Amino acid sequence: MNTITRRKFIASTAGCSLAGLFLPGNYAWAQWPTQAFGGKDITSVIEKLYGSSKMEDSAAITIKAPDIAENGAVVPVSIKTKLTGVESVSILVDENPNPLAAQFLISPGNSGDVATRIKLAKKSKVTAVVKANGKLYTNSRFIKVTLGGCGGPG
Amino acid sequence: MSIRIRTKNQGSKTAVKVLIRHPMETGLRKDKSGATIPVHFIREVDCTHNSITVFKAIWGVAVSKNPFVSFVVNQVSRGDNITVSWVDNLGQSDSKSVTV
């Protein structure tokens, strides 16, 4: 016998649609790497994002950013690389609550030069990870912050 | 919310600069009454050149308010179409096309 009354049915479907509204999580946005963005420590984030955290330090990657950023909410960062066969470029901020800031997917044959503006909670190492020809390369630099991106002093 | 697109030829490549108006709220900030300001940020930005995807950005909350991104693609010729579109965590989206 069906024990679900009309009232209960409506209540349950309302619950579902509300959950869908507030948790636009895993199913609708399968491409967006929720786990990598939710990660707290940089090694595990890179592992979640690329399936491995085996990286090679590379001087062929240059990170251009101010040594001291006055406003942590808007820090211009540009990444240039001489590597060829670039597939993706990621920017990670060690001291942010969630280190992964952005990942850029580069179409084949294009250079991996990207620039953007990111938030820094406080002074931090900023790491660039470049995937080229199936391998991971990395470089990093330290940025000091006068006023943190979360409102407090850095 | 608006999208601004600039392109500049550099030899055999073209630099594309994109500026989007968006709050990019982290979900960590509080307003004056102490209530948390809900998280609201762009997750994905797509750029197509004559309908072929040439660049994709996947963002978290650490990208600044009114985000800016620039990147380099293979040369864009006069009359080509460049389209930039984004989707945020609330499912809102916007798109803009320019003819170079």
Side-chain angles (χ1 to χ4, degrees):
Chain A
M1 205 176 102
N2 192 352
T3 52
I4 299 176
T5 62
R6 181 179 171 274
R7 193 168 294 254
K8 267 187 189 164
F9 177 74
I10 289 170
S12 68
T13 51
C16 286
S17 63
L18 275 178
L21 208 68
F22 290 116
L23 298 168
N26 306 325
Y27 33 85
W29 305 99
Q31 294 156 297
W32 196 76
T34 311
Q35 281 199 319
F37 276 106
K40 302 276 183 207
D41 108 280
I42 190 157
T43 316
S44 73
V45 167
I46 294 167
E47 225 156 66
K48 279 170 189 156
L49 197 59
Y50 289 107
S52 157
S53 61
K54 214 179 116 192
M55 301 184 293
E56 198 178 301
D57 286 335
S58 172
I61 304 166
T62 46
I63 305 171
K64 203 178 136 198
D67 290 323
I68 301 172
E70 275 189 27
N71 183 356
V74 187
V75 182
V77 175
S78 94
I79 292 165
K80 281 188 193 302
T81 171
K82 294 194 186 88
L83 296 166
T84 53
V86 176
E87 294 162 39
S88 77
V89 177
S90 308
I91 303 175
L92 298 103
V93 182
D94 286 34
E95 299 295 332
N96 272 4
N98 300 118
L100 183 58
Q103 187 187 30
F104 302 99
L105 306 180
I106 312 292
S107 61
N110 282 323
S111 83
D113 295 358
V114 290
T116 188
R117 297 192 293 228
I118 58 170
K119 297 171 198 163
L120 263 62
K122 53 183 173 182
K123 65 182 175 195
S124 175
K125 197 170 96 174
V126 173
T127 304
V129 178
V130 175
K131 187 177 185 185
N133 298 316
K135 285 175 78 180
L136 298 181
Y137 299 91
T138 183
N139 202 349
S140 59
R141 75 177 282 161
F142 200 82
I143 303 178
K144 285 183 178 169
V145 178
T146 315
L147 181 69
C150 295
Chain B
M1 294 182 194
S2 71
I3 304 176
R4 277 163 65 188
I5 305 167
R6 293 260 185 288
T7 59
K8 194 179 176 190
N9 284 341
Q10 297 172 335
S12 63
K13 305 273 180 184
T14 299
V16 183
K17 292 182 177 184
V18 180
L19 194 60
I20 302 167
R21 188 171 295 183
H22 195 281
M24 297 300 285
E25 278 298 343
T26 60
L28 303 169
R29 296 200 314 145
K30 290 185 166 67
D31 65 14
K32 278 175 188 161
S33 67
T36 304
I37 303 170
V39 59
H40 186 198
F41 66 101
I42 294 175
R43 284 173 182 245
E44 284 189 28
V45 183
D46 260 30
C47 175
T48 64
H49 173 205
N50 291 342
S51 309
I52 297 161
T53 301
V54 288
F55 179 83
K56 200 168 186 168
I58 299 167
W59 285 348
V61 295
V63 172
S64 300
K65 178 182 175 180
N66 297 333
F68 163 80
V69 61
S70 82
F71 49 93
V72 179
V73 296
N74 289 327
Q75 192 165 25
V76 176
S77 313
R78 255 186 106 86
D80 283 4
N81 174 278
I82 293 277
T83 301
V84 172
S85 49
W86 58 259
V87 181
D88 70 18
N89 67 319
L90 303 180
Q92 296 173 351
S93 62
D94 196 10
S95 173
K96 189 174 180 185
S97 290
V98 291
T99 305
V100 179

